[in-house]
Amino acid sequence: MALADLFEDFSTPVETGDQFRMMSDTALEDHRLAAFEQGYKAGWDDAVSSQTEAHGRITEALMQSIEDLSFTYHEALAGMQVSTEPLLRALVEKVLPRALHDTLGLHLTERLTEMATAAAGQPVTVTVAPEDAKALQGAFQNRFPVDVELRQDPALTGGQVRLGIGQAETECDCDALIAEIGDSVDAYFHHVREAERHG
């Protein structure tokens, strides 16, 4: 009696037709390698899929954070812009008119210097509203090699000045300049409010 008859045969039979045959060691090794490669490929595909999914979640979370941050930034910027409105209005309505009035003589001196250079030797006149004449009375003394005649015109309002050298004449209107700046401030804050209202 052979030893093989005493023990059960656990080798893997391969069915061919109606008969079973034993798988050779080489075929068994090929079968194992194919199973390993298939398992490895499935694991690799699963890892790539998980990584892609995780990357997608991270990207989505990052984009959401950027959106939230952008919204917060624009909200803060709009709030800051609106909070500066009283300051800008005070500058335009109170500080700027006073500053222009206080420095009107200096501005006129600069403008007259430019005009006098272009028309040397011509008579120089500065025509202002009666309320501005007193403030400008001594502003031009000893500043020019020629005399500057200060005239008053009741048709002019405060802040309006007419400069003349010979036949050349130009006008300065501080009030119109302040009004123009005020209109620009109004337009700016109207735009800010519209942007805030419509997001």
Side-chain angles (χ1 to χ4, degrees):
M1 183 180 236
L3 196 57
D5 293 333
L6 296 174
F7 298 104
E8 187 176 345
D9 183 11
F10 290 103
S11 60
T12 309
V14 178
E15 188 176 343
T16 53
D18 293 335
Q19 298 178 348
F20 290 96
R21 73 175 174 85
M22 297 295 286
M23 185 182 279
S24 70
D25 288 341
T26 306
L28 183 59
E29 187 61 30
D30 289 345
H31 180 70
R32 285 182 184 156
L33 279 173
F36 175 79
E37 285 180 14
Q38 185 178 359
Y40 182 82
K41 184 179 180 315
W44 182 265
D45 290 345
D46 187 45
V48 168
S49 174
S50 294
Q51 185 181 10
T52 303
E53 191 177 311
H55 186 267
R57 280 196 306 270
I58 291 169
T59 302
E60 189 177 329
L62 182 62
M63 292 306 291
Q64 185 61 49
S65 296
I66 290 171
E67 260 182 52
D68 293 345
L69 186 63
S70 175
F71 180 75
T72 304
Y73 167 77
H74 284 84
E75 205 174 43
L77 182 62
M80 186 197 71
Q81 288 170 330
V82 168
S83 69
T84 61
E85 184 176 4
L87 173 67
L88 286 176
R89 290 205 182 281
L91 283 171
V92 171
E93 293 166 10
K94 294 184 172 63
V95 177
L96 195 56
R98 184 69 190 161
L100 281 174
H101 183 270
D102 290 348
T103 60
L104 186 58
L106 180 63
H107 291 300
L108 292 177
T109 301
E110 289 174 3
R111 185 71 184 116
L112 281 170
T113 302
E114 291 171 13
M115 291 175 71
T117 303
Q122 300 288 322
V124 177
T125 59
V126 177
T127 309
V128 296
E131 62 263 33
D132 288 338
K134 196 172 194 180
L136 294 173
Q137 197 71 44
F140 308 115
Q141 291 176 353
N142 303 321
R143 300 235 179 149
F144 299 102
V146 295
D147 289 335
V148 176
E149 182 186 350
L150 184 62
R151 297 179 184 170
Q152 296 181 30
D153 184 349
L156 297 177
T157 60
Q160 287 183 317
V161 180
R162 201 165 40 240
L163 302 176
I165 294 184
Q167 301 301 314
E169 198 171 81
T170 187
E171 286 193 15
C172 300
D173 191 342
C174 295
D175 291 343
L177 176 63
I178 292 169
E180 191 177 321
I181 293 170
D183 290 345
S184 296
V185 169
D186 289 342
Y188 173 75
F189 284 108
H190 174 74
H191 174 73
V192 167
R193 284 195 196 89
E194 286 299 308
E196 191 176 22
R197 189 175 301 135
H198 300 294

